[in-house]
Amino acid sequence: MQRFIMVRAFHSLIALVAISVIVFGLARITGNPLDVLLPIEATQEDFDRVQRAWGLDKPLPLQYFKYVSNIFQGNFGESLKWQDKTAGELVISRFPATLQLASLAMIVSVVIALPIGVIAAVKKDTGIDYAGKVVALLGQSLPSFWLGIVLMWIFAVQLDLLPTSGKGGISHMILPAITLGFFQVAAIMRLTRSSLLEVLDTEFVKLARIKGVSERKVIWKHCLRNALITPLTYFGLILGSFLTGSVVTETVFAWPGVGLLAIDAVRARDFQVVQTVVLFFATIYIFANLLVDITYAYLDPRIRYD
Amino acid sequence: MANVALPQQLPEIEAPRGWQVISQVRRLPVVPILILLVVLVLPAIFADQLAPHDPLKGSLRNRLQPPAWTQAEVVNGVEVKPGGSWNHILGTDKQGRDMLSRIIHGARISLTVSLIAVFIAGLIGTTLGLMAGYYGGWVDHLVMRIVDIGLSIPAILLALVLVSAIGASFGTVIIVIGGIFWSRYARMVRGDTLSIKSQDFVSRARVAGASNRRIMVRHIFPNVANTVIVLGTLEIGQVILLEATLSFLGAGIPRPTPAWGLMVSDGRELIVNAWWVAMFPGVAILLTVLSLNLFGDWVRDRLDPKLQNV
């Protein structure tokens, strides 16, 4: 177990280093970042001065080293668009909004998906199961940004029940949370269904039934507990799609989170901020996957590195 | 009870050839294929002939015309909301460009981007997967490590970094998508190669003096080709979806090219007054991706049922 955790953590570390190299490298292959940063009327002297001040005249590996050591000191660079703030501050200040939205979306999707998944498994090949399949297929085929706009059109413009976009009370969160959650509904539902079907077929369930345990108790207590392990292990993947999903959903609903920050930064070609957001999201994602793998290995002793 | 020896292999009963063909045709996913032809393929090929107007030129006099079937709203003899005209069946956008023509030309963008991106991803993925599976050792380790890392970065984030570094363009989108999707081919092809290379015909080819490259290209590749084709068809829909998402975010195809995602993005701010600008391109994306997914499932069931869970 210890060995597994060590090896797995080492792999995560490699992935993180790789991402930082990619992000750093991309900023450099496009040429000198100063070409974009400095105003057109800057003279050659200005150019040289800034280049020396920022250490851009040093060899690349040295620059990378400097970049990483700056990150460890909490210095992610200056933002171009938001002059008074550093990239690190920006991401931290926007994170609570993203977290709010993502947690509400997570609750929405689990509350909807779990019961449907269970019913679809218990009543296999009935109308409900079929409806579940259609939802899953839609989840794969609907463009998420478009779903958001359609919901906005129906509930905010036509029915005038909810605000169209921006940040405010709980009513501002409903549409974004549903948009973000919908795509997880399809995934969680299918996972719950298939793993529950497997458990329903096992001996201990048959035994419970023979012993006269009520059907409701068999399904919700005996089966579901065992069936939930599979969906749990997909938590990492699901979290990943929440992170990327938040970029889209926040753009559609002008929700001022980290995702919208990334898009605004891309549009303003504010590379420091894009870099920071991507590193931030990637770290969360990799760390969550590491935790999931360790939990899974803990639950299932067959999973080890030899 | 007497032991009755069952025949080791039941004789295969083959249906008459004609019946086989008919049953294959009958199982064709007709509706998805028809939708694909109407929404994606035919418009992409014949965009110039089919589009009633120029997708890039509009006249501001015709801006934000509603779809043809919309009735004008008249209050006390004054027209407050104009009706649609059959000249612009799906209405016009903010710059007076014909929506239908833009959607038709958008099909060309979607199809071109997705075909090239899937081809590039397939080429890189298959080559690296073949090499990893065939050579094993450090090649295998290296490739699989890169695959793991590739799969551990959420696709849209990678695209955002690339686009903000290189700038949004047709080429960037293809590079980004190709760079994201190759890893699944590599994984599948590597797995298949591992099991194929231990079979007799491979070692016989080697004894016969075939080079490593020849064995990979002429002997192993034909056996993994089905997997590659199935993955390709299954992924085209996802690629179109990703391209549309990137374009919507402003990190994909640049304006004023009529890409579906861009058109939805234009329509977002107009949703209160002009719902049709965002709605129709979205329907085009949905129909295309939905049919591609259904078609992909069918291709998989035909060619490679073991990929059921991909």
Side-chain angles (χ1 to χ4, degrees), chain B residues 77-96:
Chain B
V78 182
E79 199 180 76
V80 284
K81 265 188 187 172
S85 87
W86 286 102
N87 194 21
H88 300 287
I89 298 174
L90 298 182
T92 57
D93 67 4
K94 204 162 71 177
Q95 293 168 47

Side-chain angles (χ1 to χ4, degrees), chain A residues 15-53:
Chain A
L16 263 181
V17 171
I19 289 167
S20 71
V21 170
I22 292 173
V23 166
F24 172 84
L26 281 175
R28 298 297 183 277
I29 53 163
T30 49
N32 196 324
L34 291 184
D35 293 343
V36 195
L37 294 183
L38 289 186
I40 308 171
E41 60 269 19
T43 61
Q44 186 62 41
E45 283 85 63
D46 292 336
F47 206 85
D48 291 343
R49 192 161 38 78
V50 182
Q51 184 152 19
R52 230 169 300 125

Side-chain angles (χ1 to χ4, degrees), chain A residues 11 18-19 26 30 137 140-143 145-146 149-150 153 244 248 251-252 263 267 269 271 274 278 281 285, chain B residues 145 149 152-154 157 161-162 164-165 238 241 245 248-249 264 268 271 275 278-279 282-283 285 289-290 293:
Chain A
H11 284 175
I19 289 167
L26 281 175
T30 49
L137 188 63
Q140 274 185 348
S141 316
L142 263 175
F145 53 93
W146 186 70
I149 292 175
V150 170
W153 184 63
T244 48
V248 176
T251 308
V252 172
I263 294 302
R267 286 180 182 156
R269 298 206 67 179
F271 196 79
V274 181
V278 170
F281 274 174
Y285 184 64
Chain B
R145 218 69 298 247
I149 292 169
S152 73
I153 311 174
L157 295 185
V161 186
L162 267 170
S164 63
Q238 298 309 308
L241 209 51
T245 308
F248 174 81
L249 293 173
V264 177
R268 192 198 86 96
I271 195 70
W275 55 270
M279 205 61 70
V283 173
I285 302 173
V289 178
L290 191 66
N293 282 342

